[in-house]
Amino acid sequence: EWKQVKQEARSQVKAKPTPTTGEPPQALYSKMKPMGTMKDQLLLMSSASSSYREEYACRPCGSRRAMRKKKRRSGQESEHLSHRLKPAASFLCALLILSACACVSRAADSRARQQQQQRQHSRQNARTNLSPGNHTRNAAVLVSSSRYWHNYRHVSNVLSLYNVLKTGGKFTDDNIILMIADDIPCDGRNPHKNGIFPEYARTGTGNSVYNADVEIDYRGTDVTVENFLRVLVGRHEEGETPSRMLDLTPDTNLVVFLVRTACVDYPRSLCFVSQLIAQSSSSISFTSQTGHGGESFFEFQDGEELMTQDITDAFQQMNRIERYKEILFIADTCQAFTLNPTDPKVLPDIGALPNVMTVASSLQGQNSYAHHSDPEIGQSVVDRYTYNFVENLKNLAMRQPDSQVDMSSALWRSMEQISVKTAWVDALPRKKLGADVGWTDKGCTRPMRNIPLSDFLCDMEHRNFAAAAASPTLGGDDFILHSNCDDDSSEASSCVDSE
């Protein structure tokens, strides 16, 4: 454009006629108006370019410029609109936040009221009615009738309860008969030699329940139905080792714990199929499928079976020769409640077998499941029923004031503050186990809800030791476990907790 302006100026100069004065061209050029300073030249150039744009601009370029101007105006308008709406949006957000906080507060208040009511109910029905017995001794028979590597969790169950008895209950090995195959610790597939871990095996932070303090009375092929019944009735062969005998008196509270489950946590569809097969075929077919336990019998190492009638007969003999005061019979297996020794099918007269209470991890037609597996071990390491019971006890003990100093005394006091029914039934609902807990205390002079757990899991010979080590216990209801179970019922029940 600047070149064009110069050319136009030159053409105008050339177009003027030559004067007749005879002056030279240099003089004529000197009379022309100068171009001016640089500022004047720039002004001239800008005016020329703007006139050019106005005159020669193409329509597409003009439309694009118009669009840009329109966008700028709309952006300014939207910005003004957003400025106007900002206070309203802030007010709405604040209103929503306040309403949400109010809802959360109301829900928390309602939940707190429900928990307070449940604690009051539990305190009235459990804490105030706990009545320790007048027995003088305690004893336990712990049996895992499984063998082989794939039954890792069965041994873990028994040894977990064994550690609770010795750590929190102050039991001595003289009062415990332990029957396990003892082939898991030295198995070639065990990555932790001489160790059995119910949890945290892979991280190395778990505690092995198998250690140098474990005293096994019957191991390997000695774990038989005959030896189990001989321990109960006290009729041993001549020359039997005294450590394999159990000295029971009329003032002894006895715990009998049988473990042999069949079902790992398979998909529920497969479990449902197995239940359909069991319903459509005989009980023998179902048992051969699971291979562990079935209706009214309990297998020992896949070679022989302990029938419910055998348990009932053994307990009746013990009653006649006065070898117990009260018996807590616990079974953790598939269809465990069918082993109930006070079942009317095997015991028409309940008076013939007094003070025998039964707790089972599953009802008839139900399976007992594993809790979790360990990737390093490659097997399920503990069952749900035993694991949740032990974890509940530990959680209660951790709430004691001196649990960090003396865990054994804290466990003892926790077992004094919880009933047998709460610990073994109410605190283990179906949503945790996958099965319903069966229980009965028919024929017992004391209901299970009034018996402290320490009457069975704490050795009364060491009560003075625990009392001397005791410190102020928790007040109120911090340690109460809650459920919606009917405390007045003595039948097999399905318990679902308050949540």
Side-chain angles (χ1 to χ4, degrees), residues 171-299:
F171 271 68
T172 62
D173 287 308
D174 295 336
N175 295 338
I176 301 176
I177 293 296
L178 181 60
M179 305 177 72
I180 61 175
D182 198 27
D183 57 344
I184 302 297
C186 297
D187 193 285
R189 289 163 288 189
N190 190 355
H192 308 282
K193 299 303 179 184
N194 296 322
I196 295 178
F197 290 85
E199 59 181 347
Y200 305 124
R202 189 177 186 185
T203 61
T205 59
N207 294 322
S208 174
V209 293
Y210 186 91
N211 48 53
D213 296 332
V214 176
E215 183 177 317
I216 303 173
D217 301 290
Y218 294 85
R219 58 163 45 92
T221 55
D222 289 341
V223 182
T224 61
V225 174
E226 179 183 354
N227 286 334
F228 171 70
L229 297 176
R230 285 183 179 277
V231 167
L232 293 180
V233 300
R235 296 179 179 177
H236 297 276
E237 295 181 350
E238 186 178 357
E240 183 62 88
T241 305
S243 62
R244 288 159 52 115
M245 303 178 185
L246 203 57
D247 184 17
L248 301 178
T249 66
D251 293 327
T252 301
N253 276 8
L254 177 65
V255 175
V256 179
F257 186 53
L258 298 181
V259 176
R260 187 179 177 96
T261 56
C263 299
V264 192
D265 193 6
Y266 296 120
R268 293 192 179 273
S269 58
L270 298 181
C271 296
F272 177 70
V273 171
S274 66
Q275 291 175 5
L276 291 179
I277 295 174
Q279 293 173 2
S280 61
S281 60
S282 65
S283 60
I284 296 179
S285 300
F286 176 77
T287 306
S288 63
Q289 182 181 2
T290 59
H292 290 71
E295 184 176 348
S296 301
F297 70 89
F298 185 83
E299 285 189 348

Side-chain angles (χ1 to χ4, degrees), residues 240-470:
E240 183 62 88
T241 305
S243 62
R244 288 159 52 115
M245 303 178 185
L246 203 57
D247 184 17
L248 301 178
T249 66
D251 293 327
T252 301
N253 276 8
L254 177 65
V255 175
V256 179
F257 186 53
L258 298 181
V259 176
R260 187 179 177 96
T261 56
C263 299
V264 192
D265 193 6
Y266 296 120
R268 293 192 179 273
S269 58
L270 298 181
C271 296
F272 177 70
V273 171
S274 66
Q275 291 175 5
L276 291 179
I277 295 174
Q279 293 173 2
S280 61
S281 60
S282 65
S283 60
I284 296 179
S285 300
F286 176 77
T287 306
S288 63
Q289 182 181 2
T290 59
H292 290 71
E295 184 176 348
S296 301
F297 70 89
F298 185 83
E299 285 189 348
F300 270 69
Q301 297 190 356
D302 299 326
E304 53 184 347
E305 296 171 353
L306 174 70
M307 309 301 295
T308 306
Q309 188 66 58
D310 299 331
I311 302 174
T312 303
D313 292 342
F315 287 170
Q316 284 182 312
Q317 292 186 45
M318 296 174 66
N319 179 48
R320 286 194 292 268
I321 60 179
E322 298 181 346
R323 279 180 63 83
Y324 75 90
K325 187 177 183 65
E326 291 176 319
I327 293 180
L328 176 59
F329 177 69
I330 307 166
D332 186 3
T333 182
C334 294
Q335 307 191 73
F337 198 61
T338 61
L339 296 174
N340 174 25
T342 60
D343 192 328
K345 296 179 182 179
V346 295
L347 187 68
D349 182 15
I350 192 65
L353 190 57
N355 295 325
V356 174
M357 52 202 76
T358 303
V359 179
S361 62
S362 58
L363 300 179
Q364 182 177 358
Q366 295 181 344
N367 294 326
S368 184
Y369 297 99
H371 186 270
H372 64 273
S373 60
D374 186 271
E376 186 178 13
I377 295 175
Q379 296 292 338
S380 298
V381 293
V382 69
D383 285 321
R384 297 182 186 180
Y385 190 65
T386 305
Y387 177 83
N388 283 288
F389 169 76
V390 174
E391 286 301 307
N392 288 340
L393 275 187
K394 290 181 180 179
N395 292 335
L396 293 179
M398 289 299 294
R399 300 179 189 178
Q400 299 293 337
D402 62 340
S403 60
Q404 301 296 329
V405 179
D406 190 356
M407 188 63 177
S408 60
S409 297
L411 280 171
W412 181 294
R413 289 194 301 278
S414 297
M415 288 187 280
E416 286 181 333
Q417 298 164 350
I418 187 174
S419 69
V420 173
K421 183 174 180 294
T422 301
W424 285 106
V425 181
D426 296 352
L428 303 171
R430 180 185 179 89
K431 70 177 184 180
K432 287 185 178 180
L433 306 181
D436 300 318
V437 176
W439 67 277
T440 181
D441 54 6
K442 284 185 177 180
C444 299
T445 57
R446 296 190 299 164
M448 289 171 54
R449 68 175 183 273
N450 293 342
I451 303 175
L453 188 61
S454 58
D455 275 13
F456 288 99
L457 301 190
C458 295
D459 190 1
M460 290 298 103
E461 294 179 351
H462 294 79
R463 174 177 286 180
N464 295 333
F465 167 81

Side-chain angles (χ1 to χ4, degrees), residues 30-60:
S30 63
K31 293 181 180 181
M32 292 178 59
K33 186 177 180 180
M35 294 296 295
T37 62
M38 181 62 68
K39 183 178 180 181
D40 297 333
Q41 296 177 10
L42 291 175
L43 290 174
L44 179 62
M45 181 177 64
S46 61
S47 62
S49 61
S50 60
S51 61
Y52 175 82
R53 283 200 303 270
E54 292 176 359
E55 186 175 359
Y56 299 102
C58 65
R59 291 182 179 179

